[in-house]
Amino acid sequence: MTTPEKTTATCLSTTILLCCLSIFSHAQTSNNCTSGKILQGLKKLNVLSSVLYIAAHPDDENNTLIAYLANEKLANVGYLSLTRGDGGQNLIGPEIREELGILRTQELLAARRVDGGNQYFATANDFGFSKNPEETFSIWNKEKLLADMVWMIRKTRPDVLITRYSRLPADTHGHHTASAILAYEAFDAAADPKRFPEQLKYVRPWQATRLLWNTGPGFYIPGDTTDKKKLIQVNVGQYNVLLGKSYGEIAAESRSMHKCQGMGIKPQRGNELELFRQVKGVESSSGIFEGIDTSWNRIPKTEKIAQLITKAIDTYNPQKPALLIPDLIAALSEIDKLPDSYWKEVKTNAIKTIIAELAGLVLDATTNEDSVTPGKMAKIKIEVINRSDAEIRLKNIWLPYAGKDTALNLALKNNLPNYLNFETTLDPGTPYSQPYWLKEKASLGLFQVKDQQNIGLAENKPEVSAIFNLLIAGYPVSYTIPLSYKYTDPKAGEVYQPLQITPPVFVALSKDVYVFSDNGPQTIYVKIKSGTAHIQGKVKLNIPAQWHVEPQDLPFNLQKKGDEQLLAFTLSPPPGAGQFTLQASACLDDGKSYHNELKIIRYPHVPVQAYFPEAIAKVVKIALKKTGNKIAYIPGAGDRVPESLQQAGYELTLLKDQEITTANLARYDAVVIGIRAYNVNERLNFHKDELLNYVKNGGNLIVQYNTDFDLPNYDIGPYPFHISGKRVTDEHAPVTLLNKTHPLLNRPNQISPQDFEGWVQERGAYFADNWDQRYQPLVSFNDPAEPPLHGGILVADYGKGHYIYTSLAWFRQLPAGVPGAYRLFANLLGLGK
């Protein structure tokens, strides 16, 4: 360890300046704790009220209400989302399923950093759209999710529960209604010690005061005759002078963090009413917190705490903020004397944060590498600055997983930086940075989380942190700062990323699905990447007995961290159709085996995320015939269909805007337009003539689904048709072939109902429901107890060619390697050839 240095240099970044950051956030701030925010935080210290807002998905929350409750009512407000939105689509990138869930988790955390709320999650797996709660609970484990919700109520002890949706039947997502049903039952169950008694090892029963439904014009229930005057009405459109924004403006910033869902909105300014219906508990006639003591009076022997905080508020001078530190230290010492409780923990963390803000305190712990492997050396840089005249002394720094303790007893002088540089070996038992809910294999309806204490957390607790033990005004105060990776970007400046704890080696197959359409062999490429230096061993492919691979294994030798090596195997199929899961493994010379790849999720609006899925791929041998091989593809939103078509052996070109010309399109056997392309690419409307001329001259144009609510121009075909919001969510829904003799169902592959077996998540969405008689519908599906939908594939002859609109979920089926989906899509591509 080096000797502490004293210089006049300054560093404005720190994890301790925690304005609006979640407790586990690795994101850094640039001293954005303004005097107004500090005063806001001081006032919040004297408010002891808690609200838990409950819904099903990322984007279901009411951002304006959360901003109002957190910043106007100064409540401790959390949003409990049952799912992470894994079953949705992605408008900004290729991530779907688990990777999409990681991205949406971070977008929700980014939203909460803006609006001041806290973010929580249950363990429900978003399996896709559900039409009613009965279907939802047939896939979700209702009792397990009820336990999750009871746990969060007992843990966060809300005075008020608020649901976004009603538990009564309505025309909405089944997940939505299910979330309200669970909240209705959890309201009572959380107070009953006989329900989920295993939780009482960590928490106590809790009875919230009331349960409300946050209703509004778009949330009425058919047949409901409730008098609007009987509803609780709250004006959430107020202007916060300390923050310099209205809650509608804050909400717009928060809502716009849902970028992968295209949720950017304009600010709402001026008065705005939110309506609430009584569901359970003590009735209120005037407000959300009516009859609830939200002061320190709810905790015995806290009069002195309230007096000290009130004094700090009254005497706060933004020009000399550090003068408040002795009073807040006195308040902290009184809080420390209280018995352990929810409010003791919340207020301890809050007052420590404000003390650090008043002192302009910088506590920074970083490395010069983005990842570290357990058991290996890490170089750590510590930066500590007290930017005030407050009496602060750094006693020591403790790194638990590194087993490092630095005894310093260093006086922190005003605005004089202190740097410590040292090397330490990470404990071999340090856990990897795999998202905790993905460590075990999930079921269709639930993530498997073994550690009760993890349930509800938005993300992992930091794997490695530095604990700074200080004396502030003579009183011991400690801060836990996550160890981060810091670097300087020429465009962005100083950048912080979460430090990733990784395996020593990664192995990745080059494709998610390998499609064998004949008996010929394919080359299987495997990329091996080192997570640390000096890694060597062999790579193997695990295959069933009927298949053959050459060679049996291949050696690798990676000398530097980050080195990569590409290895090639030849895989030969057996006769006949079949499928299996291929796994790649890296077997090191020390006998240990690793079979995880490294996935990085990187977007500018959220922290960089790492994910270590198994190195597996689906291998499918399909009796597939093709006519027409040269395909042009116009990308849509979050679309992996192009890669899937290349897997099947098609020669595919992704078209740029300037390449969509009549002359250029004529080169291709078929042109495919990606999902939601007309929704996200306004330029396509200007290319209608070129696309239809291509069809008229003998081309084959396939348009995948677009949504009905943000389609700029319904006139996208040669003849009129209307896109509805209707969908078939049961992936097992029986199919009816409406015109069995149509060429599309017969050439080059004979299509039968068996080709619709093994589909995943859904049949399709945004089915056409009205169309010109010149379109021919070819397939029909329906969910249970619903009328059939015929608009899954519409085909029209136009000139010498064919126009096809299809709402079937090709973007799910093809990447999942569903054999029948490949056979039917090959017929779409080859129609008329």
Side-chain angles (χ1 to χ4, degrees), residues 585-635:
S585 299
C587 306
L588 303 188
D589 288 348
D590 63 6
K592 295 181 180 178
S593 183
Y594 299 88
H595 48 82
N596 293 88
E597 62 178 305
L598 172 64
K599 292 283 187 75
I600 299 295
I601 300 172
R602 189 187 304 272
Y603 290 98
H605 63 297
V606 295
V608 174
Q609 299 296 299
Y611 166 50
F612 314 128
E614 279 194 273
I616 58 175
K618 187 174 183 178
V619 178
V620 185
K621 175 75 181 301
I622 304 175
L624 181 66
K625 299 176 183 178
K626 296 180 293 180
T627 55
N629 192 57
K630 197 169 184 179
I631 310 300
Y633 200 97
I634 301 173

Side-chain angles (χ1 to χ4, degrees), residues 297-611:
N297 291 333
R298 68 191 302 168
I299 300 177
K301 300 179 181 180
T302 57
E303 296 83 0
K304 187 174 180 180
I305 298 172
Q307 292 169 1
L308 287 165
I309 294 171
T310 301
K311 178 185 175 185
I313 295 169
D314 293 341
T315 59
Y316 173 57
N317 180 353
Q319 297 296 322
K320 298 180 179 181
L323 294 178
L324 297 186
I325 289 177
D327 285 335
L328 291 189
I329 286 293
L332 176 61
S333 69
E334 292 298 315
I335 293 174
D336 285 342
K337 297 174 185 177
L338 298 174
D340 289 343
S341 69
Y342 167 76
W343 283 115
K344 178 181 179 179
E345 180 181 356
V346 168
K347 295 305 180 183
T348 296
N349 290 333
I351 201 167
K352 285 166 57 177
T353 298
I354 292 175
I355 289 169
E357 293 167 356
L358 294 171
L361 187 61
V362 172
L363 302 176
D364 208 17
T366 61
T367 70
N368 60 356
E369 295 184 288
D370 62 357
S371 65
V372 182
T373 297
K376 299 298 181 179
M377 187 72 71
K379 295 181 179 180
I380 297 175
K381 180 176 181 178
I382 300 292
E383 183 177 4
V384 183
I385 313 174
N386 167 25
R387 291 177 290 186
S388 73
D389 289 326
E391 179 190 344
I392 302 177
R393 182 173 291 274
L394 177 61
K395 297 293 292 182
N396 69 309
I397 302 171
W398 166 243
L399 282 81
Y401 267 109
K404 192 78 175 182
D405 189 359
T406 61
L408 300 168
N409 197 26
L410 179 67
L412 303 182
K413 302 298 184 181
N414 187 351
N415 212 33
L416 288 179
N418 297 272
Y419 298 113
L420 305 174
N421 296 283
F422 55 87
E423 295 182 348
T424 187
T425 300
L426 211 59
D427 190 305
T430 306
Y432 297 144
S433 300
Q434 180 80 321
Y436 75 85
W437 65 96
L438 298 176
K439 289 184 177 181
E440 305 291 334
K441 184 176 177 59
S443 68
L444 177 61
L446 288 176
F447 293 109
Q448 308 302 316
V449 179
K450 292 182 177 180
D451 187 346
Q452 178 68 48
Q453 297 279 46
N454 279 338
I455 291 175
L457 297 182
E459 58 184 342
N460 291 6
K461 298 176 183 178
E463 286 77 22
V464 183
S465 296
I467 300 174
F468 293 75
N469 294 309
L470 308 173
L471 283 179
I472 302 179
Y475 191 78
V477 183
S478 66
Y479 294 93
T480 300
I481 306 300
L483 191 61
S484 300
Y485 165 53
K486 182 170 70 173
Y487 66 98
T488 302
D489 181 270
K491 293 179 290 185
E494 189 174 63
V495 178
Y496 286 76
Q497 286 182 197
L499 176 67
Q500 307 296 342
I501 309 301
T502 74
V505 66
F506 302 102
V507 57
L509 293 157
S510 60
K511 300 175 182 178
D512 294 328
V513 177
Y514 294 90
V515 178
F516 288 76
S517 57
D518 54 38
N519 291 325
Q522 286 193 30
T523 300
I524 307 296
Y525 290 102
V526 180
K527 183 174 73 174
I528 192 83
K529 181 183 177 75
S530 60
T532 188
H534 308 300
I535 291 290
Q536 56 189 26
K538 295 181 178 179
V539 171
K540 298 180 180 180
L541 297 181
N542 300 322
I543 62 171
Q546 301 93 328
W547 292 69
H548 182 72
V549 64
E550 286 289 342
Q552 296 297 308
D553 56 52
L554 284 170
F556 64 88
N557 191 332
L558 304 173
Q559 291 304 302
K560 296 180 181 178
K561 178 180 177 180
D563 279 355
E564 297 180 359
Q565 192 173 341
L566 192 64
L567 308 175
F569 295 84
T570 301
L571 183 63
S572 301
Q579 54 186 288
F580 75 96
T581 299
L582 175 69
Q583 183 185 63
S585 299
C587 306
L588 303 188
D589 288 348
D590 63 6
K592 295 181 180 178
S593 183
Y594 299 88
H595 48 82
N596 293 88
E597 62 178 305
L598 172 64
K599 292 283 187 75
I600 299 295
I601 300 172
R602 189 187 304 272
Y603 290 98
H605 63 297
V606 295
V608 174
Q609 299 296 299
Y611 166 50

Side-chain angles (χ1 to χ4, degrees), residues 554-732:
L554 284 170
F556 64 88
N557 191 332
L558 304 173
Q559 291 304 302
K560 296 180 181 178
K561 178 180 177 180
D563 279 355
E564 297 180 359
Q565 192 173 341
L566 192 64
L567 308 175
F569 295 84
T570 301
L571 183 63
S572 301
Q579 54 186 288
F580 75 96
T581 299
L582 175 69
Q583 183 185 63
S585 299
C587 306
L588 303 188
D589 288 348
D590 63 6
K592 295 181 180 178
S593 183
Y594 299 88
H595 48 82
N596 293 88
E597 62 178 305
L598 172 64
K599 292 283 187 75
I600 299 295
I601 300 172
R602 189 187 304 272
Y603 290 98
H605 63 297
V606 295
V608 174
Q609 299 296 299
Y611 166 50
F612 314 128
E614 279 194 273
I616 58 175
K618 187 174 183 178
V619 178
V620 185
K621 175 75 181 301
I622 304 175
L624 181 66
K625 299 176 183 178
K626 296 180 293 180
T627 55
N629 192 57
K630 197 169 184 179
I631 310 300
Y633 200 97
I634 301 173
D639 194 350
R640 290 182 176 176
V641 171
E643 294 91 329
S644 300
L645 297 180
Q646 290 173 322
Q647 292 294 312
Y650 288 100
E651 181 184 340
L652 186 138
T653 302
L654 293 176
L655 292 186
K656 299 176 182 178
D657 182 73
Q658 64 270 24
E659 296 172 323
I660 306 175
T661 65
T662 301
N664 188 48
L665 295 176
R667 302 165 48 214
Y668 298 100
D669 297 312
V671 175
V672 183
I673 297 180
I675 60 169
R676 299 187 67 175
Y678 283 98
N679 300 133
V680 299
N681 182 0
E682 63 181 17
R683 290 290 305 164
L684 275 182
N685 287 304
F686 298 100
H687 292 302
K688 179 183 177 182
D689 289 344
E690 287 92 343
L691 291 167
L692 292 185
N693 283 337
Y694 163 74
V695 178
K696 185 183 292 186
N697 294 331
N700 191 13
L701 179 63
I702 301 156
V703 179
Q704 297 178 77
Y705 90 86
N706 287 265
T707 63
D708 59 330
F709 52 85
D710 55 0
L711 191 62
N713 185 354
Y714 272 105
D715 186 23
I716 63 175
Y719 315 114
F721 68 93
H722 178 263
I723 299 171
S724 75
K726 298 174 183 178
R727 60 178 74 205
V728 177
T729 61
D730 182 358
E731 65 270 32
H732 307 297

Side-chain angles (χ1 to χ4, degrees), residues 83 86-88 97 124-132 135-140 173-175 444-445 729 731 760-762 812:
T83 78
D86 321 74
R97 290 306 314 161
N125 194 348
D126 183 354
F127 57 83
F129 191 88
S130 173
K131 293 186 176 179
N132 55 68
E135 179 192 30
T136 296
F137 286 131
S138 73
I139 297 174
W140 286 354
H173 201 314
H175 296 179
L444 177 61
T729 61
E731 65 270 32
V760 298
Q761 188 159 321
E762 60 189 340
R812 297 197 190 279

Side-chain angles (χ1 to χ4, degrees), residues 85-151:
D86 321 74
Q89 288 95 52
N90 185 356
L91 291 183
I92 62 174
E95 294 84 5
I96 59 173
R97 290 306 314 161
E98 291 83 4
E99 293 171 42
L100 181 59
I102 295 172
L103 174 57
R104 289 190 174 181
T105 293
Q106 291 302 316
E107 289 187 336
L108 271 177
L109 284 169
R112 299 294 80 80
R113 287 193 286 272
V114 172
D115 59 36
N118 299 308
Q119 184 60 51
Y120 308 113
F121 290 94
T123 58
N125 194 348
D126 183 354
F127 57 83
F129 191 88
S130 173
K131 293 186 176 179
N132 55 68
E134 292 76 24
E135 179 192 30
T136 296
F137 286 131
S138 73
I139 297 174
W140 286 354
N141 183 327
K142 181 182 177 183
E143 191 71 3
K144 175 61 176 67
L145 291 180
L146 180 60
D148 288 355
M149 196 173 290
V150 166
W151 167 259

